[in-house]
Amino acid sequence: MSGFSADWLALREPADHAARNGDVLADVARHVAGRDHLSIIDLGCGAGSNLRGFALSLPARRQSWTLIDYDAALLKAARERLIAWADETEELGEELLIEKSGKTLTIDFRQADLNADMERIAGWRPDLVTAAALFDLVSPAWIDRFAAALARWKLPLYTVLVYDGREQWTPPHPLDAAIHDAFLAHQRRDKGFGPSAGPDAARLMEAAFSKQNYRVASGESPWRLGVEDAALIAQLAGGVASAAAETGLPAADVEQWRAFRETAARAPGASARVGHRDLFTAP
Ligand SMILES: C[S@@+](CC[C@H](N)C(=O)[O-])C[C@H]1O[C@@H](n2cnc3c(N)ncnc32)[C@H](O)[C@@H]1O
């Protein structure tokens, strides 16, 4: 278990897809233009949202995807959700063969720990490495390792939803700043890769890949949530509050903020903006 539930990933999936930066995506599509077949590895795939948000934007008609996560329950959810998403599906042993909107995708699911196995996975030498909502969890040292491993095989990387530490909640609450500071402190804790890069991840990635003589294109991809996203805002606030509570903020303050946010999410004019960056980098 990774601590990310399949239900939470399903709730955020529409907002994740809507947030994708069009300019960065267009850069990726140009990079692989003219290819009829592509092999792609999705790191920290969760329940497969990144594939569903991205595969149909790629020009290649035939795609071979390898979805990697260390959480077996999420890999199982990915398989089930991709079967539900497909127009047609055939199960080829462990692999799925799916048809979707004129594309043919083979999808392989692999359980692996990215901290231990990242260099081995890069050695599979796909045409493209991708990931969504992953890199704020990794450490600065792991980012350097990762950039070196991709550079070794000249692999391009397209990643979306790298949390940038900027949040804005409407209506405001007097505890917003204290909760946010506590959340950022929690973000920097060890999530299995050493102390996390948290909100510095995008900046550190740009530096690490530039050092490997990669060109880097990046752009903003914030969640812009409104009252129609009340359930997501409320769950998000719950997650932020739980993280803040673990850093030692008074429980009564955290609960007051969480309860306010849950109610406010359903009121007219409610909104939340959560900052992310998307990034495409290639040799
Ligand atoms: C925020 S979720 C994003 C999931 C998915 N990419 C999406 O956009 O919905 C982060 C994912 O990274 C996975 N993950 C975290 N640490 C990992 C590790 N050391 N090895 C493999 N997967 C990991 C988690 O299991 C989870 O699925």
Side-chain angles (χ1 to χ4, degrees):
M1 267 287 295
S2 64
F4 295 95
S5 81
D7 287 346
W8 163 245
L9 297 179
L11 182 62
R12 59 178 282 174
E13 183 162 333
D16 284 350
H17 291 183
R20 207 170 273 263
N21 181 295
D23 292 337
V24 180
L25 178 60
D27 206 345
V28 180
R30 270 194 300 278
H31 185 81
V32 297
R35 303 280 302 264
D36 183 54
H37 175 262
L38 279 179
S39 58
I40 302 152
I41 290 180
D42 184 22
L43 303 175
C45 65
S49 168
N50 192 27
L51 185 159
R52 289 186 291 280
F54 172 42
L56 302 183
S57 304
L58 283 167
R61 199 178 50 80
R62 295 179 305 116
Q63 301 171 21
S64 304
W65 284 74
T66 304
L67 268 49
I68 296 176
D69 209 288
Y70 67 173
D71 186 325
L74 288 179
L75 287 170
K76 184 167 173 282
R79 188 182 187 88
E80 290 165 1
R81 287 184 189 170
L82 286 162
I83 290 172
W85 175 75
D87 297 331
E88 283 173 47
T89 313
E90 191 180 334
E91 306 212 33
L92 306 171
E94 292 295 298
E95 274 189 6
L96 275 186
L97 174 65
I98 73 174
E99 297 286 335
K100 177 74 182 177
S101 303
K103 311 253 183 214
T104 303
L105 277 57
T106 55
I107 310 171
D108 196 8
F109 303 84
R110 305 268 183 102
Q111 189 174 10
D113 179 346
L114 293 172
N115 191 26
D117 292 336
M118 180 264 295
E119 282 84 358
R120 183 172 64 85
I121 291 165
W124 297 343
R125 301 173 67 182
D127 297 315
L128 179 66
V129 177
T130 186
L134 176 71
F135 291 106
D136 48 279
L137 303 176
V138 308
S139 64
W142 190 90
I143 289 174
D144 285 340
R145 258 178 70 196
F146 181 56
L150 264 52
R152 177 165 183 220
W153 303 110
K154 298 187 166 43
L155 306 181
L157 169 73
Y158 170 49
T159 185
V160 297
L161 298 166
V162 184
Y163 177 65
D164 74 2
R166 291 186 295 172
E167 286 179 18
Q168 197 175 4
W169 301 80
T170 306
H173 185 277
L175 285 167
D176 283 344
I179 295 278
H180 186 58
D181 287 351
F183 179 68
L184 290 184
H186 191 276
Q187 272 263 312
R188 295 190 186 281
R189 290 187 172 184
D190 189 340
K191 310 283 184 348
F193 299 83
S196 303
D200 297 330
R203 184 178 56 75
L204 292 171
M205 291 178 80
E206 293 202 20
F209 280 96
S210 299
K211 209 167 102 193
Q212 299 293 342
N213 290 323
Y214 271 44
R215 81 178 172 89
V216 183
S218 76
E220 294 194 348
S221 55
W223 277 356
R224 291 190 185 88
L225 309 178
V227 74
E228 64 285 2
D229 306 300
L232 179 54
I233 296 179
Q235 280 263 339
L236 173 67
V240 168
S242 300
E246 284 179 30
T247 68
L249 271 194
D253 284 0
V254 174
E255 180 48 27
Q256 188 199 18
W257 184 86
R258 191 202 59 73
F260 172 82
R261 286 276 156 242
E262 190 173 28
T263 309
R266 289 174 176 80
S271 70
R273 187 186 191 281
V274 180
H276 305 109
R277 290 193 80 75
D278 293 357
L279 193 144
F280 175 60
T281 182

